[in-house]
């Protein structure tokens, strides 16, 4: 099919999905897990072939090491594949958001208004590496009643193809009247370029990948884009930071998965703890192999403590506001809590930022003033993840100020519509003057009788 035919068939599937019930969705999800399990060996073989080819690209300098790390779908002793299957179950167990009533209001006798959750429609998802995204997005789209068009990176093309084939087979053989074009995959950049122009069919674009990918998508379409271009997360060691908490959270935030968008890239240090709390934090980072790009005051604190290591280098202005996606961190000593907040708002990417402090007042001040999708107190920035939030899986992390912000799960794939039930009323019946009357605007209790009207 051409790109336009793919988009048109996705729109048709989306229209049909508006009335698909929760039981049908659950049956398809269970069948997806079953087929993935049955085809595990073929999927793993495809993934190994992708990784072998990608390793050569890394050695040739044409593919980054961080991107290579994201290709693996197998894991040690198969735990990543097991997690992938568990993710299907997790999505299945989440309550179906479609049909939930979020507002009920009586405008007048016999004129009732309801705001009801509904699918976005057709979602175009473009991603690099991370072949598990095929399964995550497909399952979330099915659960939320959306049609999905997927485009993965060429570095994972064999794995993506195997996963997509398994999902499409599961949809066709689930024993339900489920639209067969609910999940489709395209292969080329030319198809993406054409799809980005098809705003009459595609409702939202979700790019997952590098800064350059996301910015290219944002600049190439009229379709709303949900996502983030950068993951420049910061952690601030406040004046009352506890050293044990600081070491544990900062090391995790930097080293647990450096290539992730929620890894801490900048460490800000209150000047009063530069010679105390910061020193053991830096030593722990160095022991983990982290390269520290330190400003003058941070280096002075380390020198005074006798910490000398070739992994410590002078920071440049470019280091602050840079997403390393590797074992690197930029460190700056600041004069105050407000200076830390100002730095984050100037150099961050509105993703996730954390403060380590024993002061509740300082924590709340930080959390209110930092302009980010996630603001944490005494916790690693690595918690910014849909799975860890209990969303089952995520479609991505959004730094947009739209209907979805932060790690977005099912709610990122839903919007709402207004249902108005009347008895032949006209807007001109209401107002001031002869024969007109005022609106009641009385909230209706959201009980089971109301909810049952919209349940599928």
């Amino acid at each position: 099919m051409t790109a336009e035919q793919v988009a048109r068939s996705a729109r048709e599937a989306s229209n049909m999905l508006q009335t698909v019930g929760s039981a049908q969705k659950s049956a398809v999800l269970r069948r997806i897990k079953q087929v993935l399990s049955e085809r595990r060996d073929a999927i793993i073989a495809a993934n190994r072939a992708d990784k072998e080819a990608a390793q050569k690209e890394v050695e040739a300098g044409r593919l980054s090491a961080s991107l290579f790390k994201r290709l693996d779908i197998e894991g040690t002793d198969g735990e990543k594949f097991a997690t992938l299957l568990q993710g299907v179950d997790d999505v299945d167990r989440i309550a179906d958001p479609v049909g939930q009533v979020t507002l009920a209001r009586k405008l007048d006798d016999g004129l009732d208004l309801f705001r009801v959750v509904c699918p976005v429609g057709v979602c175009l998802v473009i991603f690099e590496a991370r072949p598990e995204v095929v399964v995550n997005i497909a399952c979330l789209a099915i659960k939320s009643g959306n049609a999905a068009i997927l485009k993965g990176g060429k570095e994972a093309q064999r794995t993506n193809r195997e996963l997509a084939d398994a999902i499409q087979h599961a949809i066709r053989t689930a024993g339900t009247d489920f639209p067969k074009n609910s999940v489709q995959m395209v292969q080329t950049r030319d198809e993406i370029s054409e799809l980005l122009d098809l705003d009459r069919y595609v409702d939202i674009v979700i790019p997952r990948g590098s800064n350059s990918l996301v910015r290219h998508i944002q600049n190439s379409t009229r379709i709303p884009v949900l996502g983030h271009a950068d993951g420049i997360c910061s952690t601030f060691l406040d004046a009352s930071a506890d050293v044990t908490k600081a070491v544990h959270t900062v090391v995790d935030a930097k080293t647990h998965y450096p290539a992730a968008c929620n890894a801490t890239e900048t460490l800000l240090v209150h000047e009063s703890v530069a010679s105390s709390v910061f020193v053991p934090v830096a030593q722990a980072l160095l022991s983990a192999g982290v390269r520290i790009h330190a400003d003058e005051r941070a280096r002075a604190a380390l020198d005074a403590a006798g910490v000398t290591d070739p992994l410590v280098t002078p920071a440049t202005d470019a280091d602050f506001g840079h997403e390393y996606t590797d074992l690197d961190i930029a460190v700056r000593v600041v004069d105050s809590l407000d200076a830390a907040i100002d730095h984050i708002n100037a150099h961050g990417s509105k993703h996730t930022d954390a403060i380590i402090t024993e002061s509740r007042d300082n924590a709340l001040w930080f959390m209110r003033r930092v302009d980010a999708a996630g603001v944490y107190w005494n916790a690693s920035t690595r918690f910014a993840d849909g799975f860890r939030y209990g969303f089952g899986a995520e479609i991505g992390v959004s730094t947009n100020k739209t209907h979805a912000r932060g790690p977005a799960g099912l709610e990122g794939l839903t919007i709402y519509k207004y249902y108005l039930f009347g008895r032949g009323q006209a807007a001109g019946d209401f107002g001031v003057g002869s024969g007109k009357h005022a609106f009641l605007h009385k909230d209706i209790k959201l009980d089971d009788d109301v909810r049952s009207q919209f349940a599928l």
Side-chain angles (χ1 to χ4, degrees), residues 7 11 19 57 130 168 213 311:
R11 170 58 66 199
T19 54
E57 293 296 299
R130 292 191 185 279
Q168 288 164 346
L213 169 71
L311 291 177

Side-chain angles (χ1 to χ4, degrees), residues 44 75 85 105 128 133 140 147 156 244 273 325 327 338 401 426 447:
I44 294 300
L85 296 179
R105 184 161 295 157
E128 296 172 326
V133 170
L140 287 170
T244 301
V273 295
T325 65
L327 288 173
D338 283 342
K401 296 182 180 180
D447 56 21

Side-chain angles (χ1 to χ4, degrees), residues 28 31-32 35 39 142 164-183:
V28 171
R31 179 61 177 152
I32 286 174
V35 175
R39 299 190 180 186
I142 288 167
D165 286 349
I167 291 167
Q168 288 164 346
H169 177 75
I171 290 172
R172 292 193 301 269
T173 60
T176 67
D177 188 20
F178 206 84
K180 66 178 182 178
N181 289 323
S182 299
V183 178

Side-chain angles (χ1 to χ4, degrees), residues 126-139:
I126 307 162
F127 56 97
E128 296 172 326
R130 292 191 185 279
E132 68 269 21
V133 170
V134 174
V135 179
N136 293 342
I137 296 294
C139 291

Side-chain angles (χ1 to χ4, degrees), residues 316-337:
T316 66
D317 288 342
D319 286 313
F320 300 100
H322 180 66
E323 185 177 14
Y324 294 106
T325 65
D326 207 343
L327 288 173
D328 293 83
I329 193 167
V331 180
R332 171 169 284 171
V333 176
V334 295
D335 295 331
S336 65
L337 168 62

Side-chain angles (χ1 to χ4, degrees), residues 419-437:
Y419 288 65
L420 184 62
F421 296 86
R423 296 177 183 171
Q425 295 93 331
D429 299 337
F430 299 85
V432 178
S434 177
K436 298 182 183 293
H437 55 281

Side-chain angles (χ1 to χ4, degrees), residues 113-421:
L113 177 72
F114 301 92
R115 186 173 63 210
V116 183
V117 176
C118 65
V120 168
V122 176
C123 308
L124 172 60
V125 184
I126 307 162
F127 56 97
E128 296 172 326
R130 292 191 185 279
E132 68 269 21
V133 170
V134 174
V135 179
N136 293 342
I137 296 294
C139 291
L140 287 170
I142 288 167
K143 184 74 175 188
S144 56
N146 289 280
I149 304 171
L150 308 177
K151 166 64 172 73
K154 63 180 181 181
E155 64 280 346
Q157 59 184 340
R158 300 172 185 85
T159 314
N160 292 339
R161 190 180 307 115
E162 287 289 341
L163 291 170
D165 286 349
I167 291 167
Q168 288 164 346
H169 177 75
I171 290 172
R172 292 193 301 269
T173 60
T176 67
D177 188 20
F178 206 84
K180 66 178 182 178
N181 289 323
S182 299
V183 178
Q184 300 178 83
M185 196 146 199
V186 294
Q187 301 294 335
T188 69
R189 291 183 178 181
D190 288 343
E191 289 173 305
I192 289 299
S193 295
E194 187 173 349
L195 287 167
L196 290 175
D197 284 334
L198 297 176
D199 54 321
R200 63 186 180 280
Y201 297 127
V202 180
D203 296 296
I204 193 167
V205 183
I206 305 170
R208 295 186 58 172
S210 66
N211 178 299
S212 59
L213 169 71
V214 177
R215 293 202 182 281
H216 170 72
I217 299 302
Q218 291 172 331
N219 294 330
S220 302
T221 186
R222 298 183 298 273
I223 304 168
V225 177
L226 186 153
H228 68 283
D230 300 290
I232 304 168
C233 303
S234 298
T235 297
F236 171 52
L237 304 182
D238 191 27
S240 64
D242 176 86
V243 66
T244 301
K245 294 175 184 176
V247 170
H248 191 58
T249 55
V250 173
V251 171
D252 177 86
K254 180 67 264 181
T255 68
H256 183 247
Y257 190 1
C261 62
N262 55 15
T264 284
E265 304 289 19
T266 299
L267 178 65
L268 300 173
V269 181
H270 193 286
E271 62 175 358
S272 66
V273 295
S275 60
S276 54
V277 176
F278 167 59
V279 173
V281 169
Q283 289 172 320
L285 289 169
L286 292 170
S287 295
V290 177
R291 294 172 289 273
I292 297 178
H293 305 261
D295 75 350
E296 185 176 349
R297 288 199 285 179
R299 295 198 312 277
L302 294 177
D303 289 342
V307 178
T308 58
D309 195 297
L311 291 177
V312 179
T313 59
T316 66
D317 288 342
D319 286 313
F320 300 100
H322 180 66
E323 185 177 14
Y324 294 106
T325 65
D326 207 343
L327 288 173
D328 293 83
I329 193 167
V331 180
R332 171 169 284 171
V333 176
V334 295
D335 295 331
S336 65
L337 168 62
D338 283 342
I341 293 169
D342 290 343
H343 174 99
I344 292 170
N345 287 339
H347 299 279
S349 62
K350 306 183 188 300
H351 191 297
T352 305
D353 301 291
I355 182 172
I356 310 301
T357 184
E358 294 304 291
S359 168
R360 180 179 181 84
D361 288 343
N362 283 9
L364 292 176
W365 183 257
F366 176 94
M367 297 167 89
R368 288 171 180 143
R369 286 201 56 211
V370 167
D371 185 10
V375 284
Y376 296 174
W377 176 18
N378 290 342
S380 167
T381 57
R382 285 281 292 133
F383 280 106
D385 175 82
F387 176 78
R388 296 186 179 97
Y389 280 10
F391 296 164
E394 68 179 30
I395 59 173
V397 177
S398 172
T399 55
N400 299 352
K401 296 182 180 180
T402 55
H403 77 291
R405 196 178 188 204
L410 284 179
E411 80 288 346
L413 293 176
T414 60
I415 47 174
Y416 52 82
K417 62 173 67 173
Y418 288 97
Y419 288 65
L420 184 62
F421 296 86

Side-chain angles (χ1 to χ4, degrees), residues 434-454:
S434 177
K436 298 182 183 293
H437 55 281
F439 288 102
L440 291 178
H441 287 162
K442 181 180 179 181
D443 287 343
I444 299 170
K445 183 179 179 181
L446 286 173
D447 56 21
D448 290 342
D449 287 340
V450 170
R451 294 187 179 95
S452 65
Q453 296 181 59
F454 304 96

